[in-house]
Structures are given as structure tokens and as C-alpha cells.
Amino acid sequence: WKRMLGYGPDEIPAHVDEWKTRIHPDDQERVFEAVRRHLARETDTYRCEHRVRCKDSSYKWILDCGSVIDRAPDGRPRRMIGTHKDLTESRAIQQKLAESEEKFHQAFHHAPLIMVVTNLSDGRILEANAWAQKISGIDPAEGLGRSVVELGWFTEADRMKLVGLLHSQGRVIDLEMTGRSRAGDVVNCLVNCQLVVIGGEQRVITTLQDITAQRCAEEALVRSELRFRTLFHYSPFGAMEEDFSSVKARLDLLRAQGITDLRAHFASH
């Protein structure tokens, strides 16, 4: 125990007070209550995780376990044995894992696009973020345990196309697909999938970006261009198309040079 805290065998006395005085202030009440309950026979064993100050003033997480092995005839405890186990490294790993899970949770649930985790085998949804409802109209909680085909997002043929790509490539990148919302509206989606193993099972993490508005704007531009070309080529009047951007750039340059009387400038040049 002394070596665990950085002390030599004779640097501090072998007394329980040496342990008590080194318990982190925030843990003392909880530790002493656990000891009291065991000494009072309210628990079969004493077990508590807490921080203990080391020789260098740092703290280590310790798992403290013990039990009373001898009591006086009136029940008062006379002897207790126990062990201390250093949990500092495992606690640090747990903390990093918790931070990693929190980062994933925040990214998953607040990303401005649909994110779902599904079974590879049947497409059933294991987890979905709030944007799944915003775009598809389906409450994430309502969709859990149901497949994307059952919910009407995609057809079985669409799902099998994704499964085939995942089997051959392990991922799907920027695949444009057409799905449907709960109201039956067509939704153009940019799909990205990643095959992962979670709990020993093959899962798929999928993101769907709604690009419906972008596609509608592109189609409207094509239609507008087509109408213009039709009018241009079949007009009964003479028409021509010119690009005056270079002329405008030349005039702007002359004005920037302080030439305001453009007629006189061109007459003399």
C-alpha cells in the first residue's frame, strides 16, 4: 500500500490514520459512511472506490475492499482485513471512453443531416438522430426496430444495392438515391454508408443529405435555358447573342484611371 502511493516501507507509520488523512476531501464522507455501515453489520463486506493522495501530492483511484474477521462478544469489531487495488489506469481509460462516447453522441444527434445505425442483415434501425424526423417525417423512436424498407424510405432493391456495395467495398460514398418521406414526397438524397462491427455484429452507419432543393433548382435552370433557346432559335425576328463582359471590363478600367469623357478618349485614340 505504501509503495503504491510512492512511499518507502518506513516513511510513514503502518496505521489506519495514514490512510484516512490521505483520502480526497470530496470522497471522505462517502468512504467513512461505507466503513460505518460495514462495522455496524449493515453490509457483508466493505467496498469503495475513492481517491488517495500520493507522496507527490497527486491522487490515485483506489478500490478498497475489506471485512471484519473478529468481533468482541458484544459485537464490537476488533480486527478487519482488506486490500487496496490501484484503479488509476482503468479509470483514465473509462474517462477517455466516456468522452469519446459523448463526442459521438453530440456529433450523431446534432449533425444537420439524417444519421442512422442499422443492421446489415435486415436494415432494421438501431439508432436514429432528430434529423431523421425532420427530413423523413418519422419519429426516431417510432422507427427503432423497423427496417428502412418497412418505413418506406427506400425499396428493397435500393437496400440490396447498398448491401452489395458494402460487401464489395466496405463503404458507400456520395451515392445519389431517391427516397420517400412519410407523406409520400420524393426526396433526393446523397447517401454515405460505412460498414462497422458493434458488439460482434455487422452494422451500418449511414448519413443521408437532403439535396432535393438543389436538384429542383438545377432542373428549373435547365427548363429556363431550354425555353430561352427555343425562343431564341424559333423567333420570327432577327436576334443575336453577344458577350459584352470584356467591353464592360475595359470601360470600368478607364473610369478607374480617371477618364470620364469616354467619347473624347476614343476619338483621340
Side-chain angles (χ1 to χ4, degrees):
W1 177 76
K2 296 178 183 180
R3 189 179 305 112
M4 187 184 298
L5 301 182
Y7 293 99
D10 302 320
E11 284 192 76
I12 55 176
H15 194 279
V16 69
D17 287 344
E18 295 296 329
W19 164 68
K20 288 182 179 179
T21 59
R22 287 174 172 77
I23 297 174
H24 193 285
D26 293 343
D27 298 339
Q28 289 179 3
E29 182 177 352
R30 177 170 53 84
V31 174
F32 296 153
E33 175 60 15
V35 172
R36 183 202 66 75
R37 295 186 67 229
H38 178 62
L39 296 181
R41 290 181 168 174
E42 295 177 15
T43 58
D44 294 332
T45 59
Y46 159 73
R47 180 185 177 91
C48 189
E49 293 184 16
H50 58 278
R51 290 161 290 183
V52 178
R53 189 177 67 256
C54 299
K55 182 179 180 179
D56 62 3
S57 296
S58 65
Y59 280 89
K60 284 188 174 182
W61 277 98
I62 303 294
L63 172 59
D64 197 8
C65 300
S67 60
V68 174
I69 60 171
D70 183 33
R71 292 181 180 271
D74 62 1
R76 288 181 295 108
R78 293 194 298 198
R79 189 178 182 193
M80 183 176 180
I81 61 172
T83 61
H84 281 196
K85 181 180 180 180
D86 187 352
L87 297 180
T88 307
E89 185 174 347
S90 63
R91 276 276 185 161
I93 294 173
Q94 291 175 8
Q95 179 64 26
K96 289 181 180 179
L97 178 60
E99 292 173 356
S100 178
E101 290 178 345
E102 177 62 19
K103 289 177 182 177
F104 172 80
H105 176 84
Q106 293 294 332
F108 185 88
H109 289 284
H110 298 287
L113 68 171
I114 289 179
M115 292 189 72
V116 293
V117 180
T118 59
N119 282 330
L120 176 65
S121 59
D122 56 17
R124 294 194 178 278
I125 298 174
L126 304 176
E127 191 167 1
N129 67 355
W131 275 77
Q133 178 178 8
K134 182 172 182 179
I135 296 177
S136 69
I138 298 171
D139 190 309
E142 179 187 351
L144 296 183
R146 301 170 68 186
S147 73
V148 293
V149 175
E150 183 183 353
L151 293 171
W153 289 7
F154 297 112
T155 65
E156 181 63 20
D158 290 332
R159 195 185 78 81
M160 293 311 299
K161 179 181 180 180
L162 290 173
V163 170
L165 290 171
L166 287 168
H167 278 308
S168 62
Q169 303 174 11
R171 63 175 62 186
V172 175
I173 300 176
D174 290 345
L175 175 65
E176 188 168 336
M177 298 181 68
T178 300
R180 289 192 176 274
S181 69
R182 190 172 197 174
D185 298 324
V186 174
V187 180
N188 296 102
C189 296
L190 202 60
V191 180
N192 287 270
C193 303
Q194 178 66 54
L195 187 61
V196 296
V197 176
I198 302 175
E201 299 289 337
Q202 286 188 311
R203 316 292 193 193
V204 183
I205 298 177
T206 302
T207 65
L208 296 93
Q209 182 180 355
D210 185 357
I211 58 172
T212 307
Q214 177 184 335
R215 287 291 173 263
C216 288
E218 291 172 352
E219 291 172 4
L221 180 60
V222 170
R223 289 194 298 269
S224 176
E225 180 70 14
L226 179 60
R227 287 196 300 269
F228 170 76
R229 289 296 172 191
T230 301
L231 177 64
F232 184 84
H233 289 293
Y234 293 100
S235 172
F237 305 102
M240 65 178 181
E241 182 180 5
E242 292 288 347
D243 181 2
F244 288 97
S245 60
S246 60
V247 175
K248 181 178 182 301
R250 174 61 176 165
L251 294 177
D252 290 342
L253 177 62
L254 292 174
R255 290 191 182 96
Q257 294 173 346
I259 299 172
T260 57
D261 190 345
L262 297 176
R263 184 187 298 273
H265 173 77
F266 287 119
S268 60
H269 288 75

